[in-house]
Amino acid sequence: MTFYQEHSKVWVSVDCIIFGFDENKLKVLIGKRQMDPGRGEWSLYGGFVGAEESIDEAAERTLSELTGMKKIFMRQVGAFGNVDRDPGERVISIAYYALINVHDYSEKLRKEHHAEWVYVNELPQLYSDHNEMVMKAWRMMKQKMRTEPIGFRLLPQLFTLTQLQRLYEAVGGEEIDKRNFRKRIKDMDFIEKTELIDKITSKRGASLYRFNKKAYKEDPNFKL
């Protein structure tokens, strides 16, 4: 027996806003669209949801195919369903944002997918409502970073306090007072100082820190 024949069908897709942090700036991964409609336009990466997969599984598959990475941090942004958002068919898209370390992403794979890292403040006009997706995802990430240390997923395992401050400035869109920032960091037991020194990005040599996941779980009062 066939059901719902009296209703029109719509397509469901996922679109992924992949954020990275490099050169002290927040970046997003985009590429030229390889299909019609909109072939050649700048676009986020995405795909249609398969008949046998959930929307989360579709997003995870899309991220894995693009980056070659597993267990990427991702959160749902929301549904985008304006009737005229896609000139091809009636398509409802579920957007997700993901955070990765730019330097963990294979340069070879990036080139194979013709992907480009672009500063979030310098995004070109993207296909359909993709600019709106990016801006909403950015606002959500900014809000979440105030109460959860998700930003560490954008950094290498070892980082300087300057790198950490630049990250929060890039995501927040404003400068942070260095003295106040470091004072707050010292109160966070889950940001551990190591005995290692960074002599590459710091001429004087800066101490390297790391994020202690176990200590964070024991400190539920984090707020930056």
Side-chain angles (χ1 to χ4, degrees), residues 68-164:
M69 300 162 67
K70 302 290 186 181
K71 296 182 179 179
I72 295 175
F73 174 91
M74 72 172 195
R75 290 293 183 272
Q76 190 180 121
V77 176
F80 293 76
N82 285 347
V83 174
D84 59 351
R85 65 173 302 276
D86 192 307
E89 290 286 353
R90 177 76 171 96
V91 181
I92 295 173
S93 181
I94 314 300
Y96 289 79
Y97 78 85
L99 308 179
I100 67 172
N101 180 356
V102 169
H103 301 290
D104 285 343
Y105 183 24
S106 163
E107 187 68 8
K108 179 175 179 291
L109 198 57
R110 183 188 68 77
K111 290 180 179 179
E112 285 178 3
H113 286 282
H114 308 288
E116 298 289 343
W117 285 110
V118 178
Y119 296 136
V120 71
N121 282 323
E122 300 175 6
L123 274 181
Q125 181 59 50
L126 303 179
Y127 177 74
S128 184
D129 49 10
H130 289 187
N131 288 82
E132 182 184 348
M133 291 180 180
V134 174
M135 291 301 107
K136 184 175 181 181
W138 187 9
R139 290 194 299 270
M140 291 176 66
M141 176 176 61
K142 188 186 305 185
Q143 185 67 32
K144 198 168 189 64
M145 275 185 64
R146 292 173 182 164
T147 56
E148 293 184 35
I150 62 172
F152 291 102
R153 298 176 184 273
L154 296 166
L155 293 171
Q157 286 190 339
L158 296 174
F159 52 85
T160 66
L161 291 185
T162 297
Q163 285 177 301
L164 184 60

Side-chain angles (χ1 to χ4, degrees), residues 19-80:
F19 288 114
F21 178 69
D22 191 31
E23 300 174 327
N24 293 330
K25 293 186 178 181
L26 186 66
K27 295 183 174 182
V28 66
L29 197 64
I30 61 174
K32 292 292 183 72
R33 192 168 163 87
Q34 302 295 310
M35 59 187 289
D36 293 318
R39 185 183 297 270
E41 293 183 31
W42 287 109
S43 170
L44 295 172
Y45 284 84
F48 289 99
V49 179
E52 302 299 325
E53 63 182 355
S54 69
I55 54 175
D56 284 357
E57 289 169 342
E60 289 169 354
R61 170 178 53 79
T62 299
L63 288 169
S64 178
E65 290 173 354
L66 177 61
T67 67
M69 300 162 67
K70 302 290 186 181
K71 296 182 179 179
I72 295 175
F73 174 91
M74 72 172 195
R75 290 293 183 272
Q76 190 180 121
V77 176
F80 293 76

